Amino acid sequence: MNVTDARGRVRTLVVHLDSHYSFPIDALGNHPALLLIGTTSLCQTAKRLAEHGPAVVLLSTGSTSLVPALIADIIRNTPSMVLLALPRLEQHLAIQALQLGVRGLIRRDAAVAELVRAIVCVGSGEVWAPRQLLYDAVLLPTVHAKRQPGDKRRSQWELTPREEEIVERLCAGLSNKEIARELNISDKTVKTHLQRIYRKSHVRSRLQLAMHH
């Protein structure tokens, strides 16, 4: 699947699960970073996914509960990344969504600029969520375990001290560029370390690493 078109725009499909809210479609469609494939309702989602193969599915729901069956179906049967837009972001929803494989969480009334940044981020394979929410949802349950004496993680994964530093910052929600800046190394070096970390820890994404670290 091509994540972007020939002009580097992220292929995006907007799915509305209710009729009470609509994204600023004109603004998204005219943004140079996006190729908006279109908008669709729940009943047409499977057809549009099969026809267009978007890189990112911007899934909007007004419900405070998730739609796990639909999300799981999209993630299981397509290579598309799911960015979930909700009326409000709460810890329990974040945990459910991340466990299902959602790659991003955003308020659906976010400004166009933020929506675009989130879509581009998710389309590039990163995780998008407010840093505190990501910390609460993914890291907080494991903090105590990580601080226990006799920690076997480093010996099990055989991570170097530098790799541990990178993992800690990645789990805190920092981007590759932010990690590179904090550790005074290049973006390329961060990516090289991440590839080695993924191999050692037997995971394939930043989210999986954060959830198992």
Side-chain angles (χ1 to χ4, degrees):
M1 180 189 69
N2 291 325
V3 174
T4 61
D5 68 352
R7 294 166 55 185
R9 298 176 298 179
V10 179
R11 298 167 54 80
T12 307
L13 174 67
V14 177
V15 177
H16 289 291
L17 300 187
D18 58 67
S19 59
H20 305 297
Y21 182 84
S22 178
F23 284 109
I25 297 300
D26 290 342
L28 292 176
N30 292 327
H31 197 282
L34 305 182
L35 173 60
L36 188 62
I37 293 171
T39 63
T40 189
S41 60
L42 175 59
C43 62
Q44 293 293 315
T45 299
K47 180 180 178 181
R48 298 298 291 273
L49 286 170
E51 288 177 346
H52 301 291
V56 175
V57 175
L58 178 56
L59 187 62
S60 169
T61 176
S63 173
T64 55
S65 61
L66 296 178
V67 280
L70 174 62
I71 295 173
D73 190 55
I74 293 173
I75 293 171
R76 181 173 58 250
N77 296 308
T78 77
S80 303
M81 304 294 186
V82 175
L83 174 61
L84 185 62
L86 297 164
R88 59 183 183 273
L89 301 181
E90 300 173 353
Q91 183 182 354
H92 73 284
L93 295 180
I95 293 172
Q96 291 180 56
L98 293 172
Q99 288 176 339
L100 287 168
V102 168
R103 298 302 294 268
L105 294 156
I106 193 169
R107 286 180 59 96
R108 63 180 190 170
D109 60 355
V112 171
E114 185 178 358
L115 281 170
V116 172
R117 288 197 300 271
I119 292 170
V120 172
C121 177
V122 169
S124 67
E126 305 286 343
V127 177
W128 179 277
R131 188 166 296 175
Q132 187 60 49
L133 185 66
L134 188 61
Y135 179 87
D136 290 343
V138 178
L139 291 182
L140 209 54
T142 65
V143 166
H144 178 70
K146 289 199 295 186
R147 290 178 178 172
Q148 291 298 309
D151 187 1
K152 297 180 180 179
R153 184 180 60 259
R154 180 174 295 177
S155 60
Q156 179 182 351
W157 288 358
E158 297 181 350
L159 298 185
T160 66
R162 174 63 85 187
E163 289 167 348
E164 283 284 355
E165 290 178 328
I166 289 174
V167 170
E168 294 295 340
R169 285 162 175 78
L170 179 148
C171 289
L174 272 64
S175 67
N176 286 3
K177 289 184 178 179
E178 290 172 325
I179 294 172
R181 185 163 56 247
E182 282 203 5
L183 298 180
N184 196 27
I185 56 180
S186 68
D187 292 0
K188 184 177 180 180
T189 300
V190 173
K191 291 180 180 178
T192 299
H193 279 302
L194 282 176
Q195 289 171 356
R196 293 173 181 166
I197 292 166
Y198 290 160
R199 286 198 302 270
K200 291 180 179 181
S201 55
H202 306 292
V203 301
R204 294 183 296 177
S205 71
R206 299 166 73 95
L207 179 57
Q208 288 180 345
L209 183 64
M211 294 184 72
H212 290 88
H213 183 69

